[in-house]
Amino acid sequence: HGIDLRLGERAVRIDRAGRRVHTASGLEVDYDTLVLATGSYPFVPPVPGRDRPGCFVYRTIEDLDAIRAAAAHARTGAVIGGGLLGLEAAKALLRRGLDVTVVHQFDTLMERHLDAQAAEFLRSELESRGLKFRMPARTVAILGHERATGLLFDDGSTLEADLIVLAVGVRPNIDLARRAGLRCDRGILVNDTLQTFDPSIYAVGECVQHRDNTFGMVAPLWQQARVCAVHLAESGAFSFTGALPSAHLRVSGIELYSAGEVEAGEGTQAVMLSDRRRGVYKRLVIRDNRLRGAVLYGDAADAPWYLELITAGRDITSLGDGLLFGRSFVARDGSVGGEGSTANPAHN
């Protein structure tokens, strides 16, 4: 395809005036247009002992290989972080026979994506599968001498663990861009066409900051890449206007999806369905007769439909009460079908 691929070359400097990229090995590559896709790196809490053997970050294939090897000789495991990655890591360790505790500094799991009731549904299900939780709990040190043996919390309590996984989020990798004098904040600042402060340099992916947001989910990154590619090819005038915060938990047997606004604020209405017998919970956030957010636990079959309603900004008045019960229950006259669950509208 006419691509000159250089593997094993680490870019160390961008000469913006000369439009040239320098690598660690001394290679110099000229450019007319440059795209930065430097990604992100795992955030490691600045706690004493974090560099001891037995502590791992959860990010790359190499990280997973190292964790898998260590798990073969471990008995107890602790995962610091109750977000998407942390819960997936904890479930993987549990499947390998470890006694696993998730340590989270907040009192609800996946606090950026779930409301308190959905988070409680999730915690109860994971506890029934054998996971343990310490939350809210703030780790102040990793114990041990030659290797990690446990965690120390700010209240003085401890937790035994001979394998510790750190999964507390990522940070945009902006070092190369910052050294080149590009404008950066938490990420590399870009406009709606993914251009940086320098019009000959674009940036896409987890390294960027767009309209004060950074991105860690794959869907908006694909959107960014498409917009950038269109402009590089001069084949259109697409814009990246942002992306809804969304999450889809990939733990076997658990259906969990959220998108848009999770908590109802001023001028909004939260409509909820809770069926503990079936393990189903839904929460829809509505404002100005438009769906603004959805949390689905136990039944996420209608997730694409809700996402379409949120992104389109469609007036949902005609859907009536059937909106809560899903696409198949919405009739032309706004009536619903189905039995056995109760809806609870809460107005703010």
Side-chain angles (χ1 to χ4, degrees), residues 287-328:
R287 185 174 66 251
D288 300 328
N289 294 322
R290 285 166 173 78
L291 185 63
R292 305 295 183 176
V295 176
L296 311 174
Y297 181 89
D299 179 7
D302 285 311
W305 181 59
Y306 287 126
L307 180 60
E308 179 184 348
L309 292 176
I310 296 171
T311 55
R314 172 185 167 188
D315 189 312
I316 60 173
T317 304
S318 63
L319 301 182
D321 295 334
L323 180 69
L324 186 63
F325 293 89
R327 188 170 197 167
S328 63

Side-chain angles (χ1 to χ4, degrees), residues 7 9 97 102 108 129 181 202 243 270 275 294 312 317 342:
L7 299 175
E9 293 283 354
V102 175
T108 58
R129 299 181 179 206
Y202 291 72
D275 187 338
T317 304
T342 59

Side-chain angles (χ1 to χ4, degrees), residues 11 55 81 92 104 118 162 165 174 176 184 186 191 197 199 207 247 267 272 313 343:
C55 290
H104 196 41
D162 43 24
V165 176
I174 61 176
L176 183 63
C184 300
R186 288 174 292 125
N191 62 18
F197 168 70
C207 63
M272 292 169 286

Side-chain angles (χ1 to χ4, degrees), residues 53-227:
C55 290
F56 303 89
V57 294
Y58 183 72
R59 182 65 175 166
T60 68
I61 293 295
E62 291 76 17
D63 295 332
L64 300 184
D65 289 340
I67 293 171
R68 185 182 299 111
H73 308 285
R75 182 176 57 85
T76 56
V79 176
I80 301 177
L84 275 172
L85 286 180
L87 295 179
E88 291 175 357
K91 195 66 173 65
L93 292 178
L94 188 68
R95 286 198 300 268
R96 291 190 167 270
L98 275 68
D99 183 358
V100 183
T101 301
V102 175
V103 178
H104 196 41
Q105 64 176 327
F106 301 101
D107 54 6
T108 58
L109 295 172
M110 295 178 60
E111 70 286 344
R112 294 178 58 190
H113 301 286
L114 302 180
D115 65 299
Q117 194 165 345
E120 184 55 37
F121 266 80
L122 176 61
R123 176 174 177 169
S124 296
E125 175 63 25
L126 292 175
E127 285 179 331
S128 72
R129 299 181 179 206
L131 282 181
K132 300 175 182 177
F133 294 90
R134 289 285 293 268
M135 50 190 290
R138 189 169 69 88
T139 304
V140 295
I142 294 174
L143 304 174
H145 297 288
E146 294 183 359
R147 60 175 293 108
T149 59
L151 304 176
L152 172 66
F153 302 115
D154 58 355
D155 62 359
S157 62
T158 60
L159 173 69
E160 177 187 345
D162 43 24
L163 190 158
I164 298 168
V165 176
L166 304 170
V168 292
V170 297
R171 298 292 185 269
N173 190 353
I174 61 176
D175 290 346
L176 183 63
R178 179 172 282 156
R179 289 198 302 270
L182 297 175
R183 290 180 179 173
C184 300
D185 184 21
R186 288 174 292 125
I188 304 170
L189 298 178
V190 296
N191 62 18
D192 289 356
T193 62
L194 285 309
Q195 277 180 314
T196 69
F197 168 70
D198 184 330
S200 66
I201 301 179
Y202 291 72
V204 297
E206 292 180 317
C207 63
V208 310
Q209 181 176 335
H210 173 267
R211 298 190 184 185
D212 202 36
N213 293 314
T214 56
F215 305 89
M217 299 296 175
V218 69
L221 307 188
W222 282 117
Q223 294 174 29
Q224 292 175 14
R226 291 189 186 100
V227 170

Side-chain angles (χ1 to χ4, degrees), residues 12-28:
V12 295
R13 185 168 70 88
I14 300 170
D15 176 6
R16 288 172 48 205
R19 294 194 177 185
R20 184 174 294 113
V21 175
H22 298 259
T23 74
S25 70
L27 179 67
E28 298 181 4

Side-chain angles (χ1 to χ4, degrees), residues 264-285:
E266 184 177 353
T268 64
Q269 174 190 9
V271 186
M272 292 169 286
L273 179 152
S274 180
D275 187 338
R276 289 196 173 274
R277 181 179 59 83
R278 293 193 301 129
V280 173
Y281 174 78
K282 298 182 180 181
R283 177 186 176 92
L284 305 179
V285 176

